[in-house]
Amino acid sequence: MPDTTTPTLSLPGGHIPVLGLGTWQSEGSDAELAVSTALQLGYRHVDTATGYGNEAQVGRALTTRGIDRDDVFLTSKLPPDHAGRERQTLAESLVALTTDHLDLWLIHWPPGKEARPDVWQRFREARDEGLTRSIGVSNYSIAQIDELIAATGEAPAVNQIPYSPVDHDPELLAAHRERGIVVEGYSPLKRTDLDAEPIVAAARAHGVTPAQVVLRWHIEHDVVVIPKSVRRERIEENLAVLGFTLTPDEVAAIDTLGR
Ligand SMILES: NC(=O)c1ccc[n+]([C@@H]2O[C@H](COP(=O)([O-])OP(=O)(O)OC[C@H]3O[C@@H](n4cnc5c(N)ncnc54)[C@H](OP(=O)(O)O)[C@@H]3O)[C@@H](O)[C@H]2O)c1
């Protein structure tokens, strides 16, 4: 049964489901199958990037029978070395993804390690023309984000950054929240020791897997999470984190794995 009830967080240009499918290192027919499987299981949020080389496969999966493009939250990203070629890159993403708009377009990394307000300004123009509903950044520091805000008066809707229990940093989350920025956490599982005691304890208490506890922990912190898998059973397992909650004590115990 498709799940149409994934909770969302508000962005200036729409609503982002708190759980999505990551697709980095999902390649060729594996990528297409993973995305169409996820959509059939009920995912309504897919994260890709020009740099992943799989937008065409994601685009084909979006034509899965019974799936309405308007129900799917679709993210892609501008490679940092495409700064200055934003429009051409976005046009290529849209063709590959078989759509006339993205839901979220991110600057994948600060180009040349710089904030680049000029790139941000061109993102704003693309958004104003309807080519993407929301715009954001990835791998930006708060200082770099503040440069974008100072130059244009507009904060990114999202910053997509590595996030997992060992990365937990309440001050960093608060700094994003103060600026009205939603944090998306990437590599949630890869960065985590799934044998860590508080994770295993919560998994036992809820009869779920440690991986599910980690993904649920992100959601408890209002961090959007985008686990990648190409295996049907894991794609399903990861979606099932919408079906339980962690107690405040369990969240606090997992928080202690961070700094
Ligand atoms: N903006 C950026 O710079 C950036 C950087 C990295 C990632 N990302 C995005 O974030 C997404 C997620 O990050 P990620 O792919 O680096 O790492 P991840 O989602 O933390 O981990 C993916 C790995 O975990 C395995 N896995 C998935 N579900 C599992 C489960 N329930 N139990 C055990 N293992 C499981 C996957 O293997 P199988 O596929 O074999 O199941 C894969 O090896 C990416 O796919 C990408 O969309 C963005």
Side-chain angles (χ1 to χ4, degrees):
M1 260 304 278
D3 167 68
T4 49
T5 59
T6 306
T8 59
L9 295 173
S10 291
L11 302 180
H15 300 277
I16 184 167
V18 295
L19 182 89
L21 182 75
T23 67
W24 181 39
Q25 297 174 324
S26 299
E27 285 162 8
S29 56
D30 276 356
E32 184 175 343
L33 187 59
V35 176
S36 63
T37 299
L39 294 173
Q40 280 161 8
L41 288 170
Y43 283 72
R44 290 294 179 270
H45 174 181
V46 180
D47 182 85
T48 183
T50 295
Y52 298 169
N54 61 15
E55 287 178 309
Q57 286 78 10
V58 173
R60 274 200 291 280
L62 282 171
T63 63
T64 302
R65 258 179 68 194
I67 301 299
D68 184 346
R69 161 69 188 96
D70 289 339
D71 292 339
V72 181
F73 188 97
L74 188 57
T75 300
S76 193
K77 314 187 190 86
L78 177 85
D81 61 353
H82 286 220
R85 287 185 282 145
E86 294 83 3
R87 273 320 170 85
Q88 188 193 332
T89 305
L90 178 54
E92 287 166 4
S93 287
L94 295 178
V95 168
L97 290 165
T98 66
T99 186
D100 62 1
H101 72 278
L102 297 177
D103 294 281
L104 179 62
W105 192 33
L106 303 176
I107 305 175
H108 203 149
W109 289 86
K113 303 189 177 162
E114 304 284 340
R116 293 292 300 269
D118 59 319
V119 175
W120 183 235
Q121 178 55 31
R122 290 191 282 276
F123 266 54
R124 298 176 73 224
E125 289 161 11
R127 185 271 321 278
D128 291 346
E129 288 174 37
L131 300 174
T132 179
R133 301 268 193 260
S134 294
I135 50 176
V137 295
S138 179
N139 300 300
Y140 269 58
S141 67
I142 293 294
Q144 288 170 327
I145 285 171
D146 282 343
E147 261 191 72
L148 302 184
I149 297 171
T152 64
E154 180 171 353
V158 165
N159 190 17
Q160 188 180 109
I161 54 175
Y163 213 76
S164 71
V166 291
D167 302 305
H168 184 53
D169 182 346
E171 286 175 17
L172 184 66
L173 294 187
H176 284 91
R177 200 165 296 131
E178 282 158 18
R179 291 161 177 77
I181 302 167
V182 168
V183 174
E184 257 190 285
Y186 72 67
S187 304
L189 301 173
K190 272 186 195 164
R191 300 174 68 82
T192 301
D193 172 9
L194 294 177
D195 293 326
E197 200 278 327
I199 295 174
V200 172
R204 228 181 270 123
H206 293 277
V208 299
T209 66
Q212 287 176 311
V213 167
V214 172
L215 302 177
R216 186 69 220 184
W217 172 87
H218 286 76
I219 294 172
E220 304 295 358
H221 278 297
D222 282 341
V223 173
V224 173
V225 72
I226 44 172
K228 170 264 178 187
S229 181
V230 292
R231 304 192 206 187
R232 184 185 176 92
E233 66 278 12
R234 286 178 170 174
I235 293 171
E236 198 164 8
E237 174 183 333
N238 296 344
L239 182 67
V241 306
L242 301 178
F244 73 100
T245 57
L246 296 171
T247 66
D249 284 352
E250 287 165 341
V251 171
I254 297 168
D255 288 353
T256 65
L257 298 171
R259 283 169 237 178

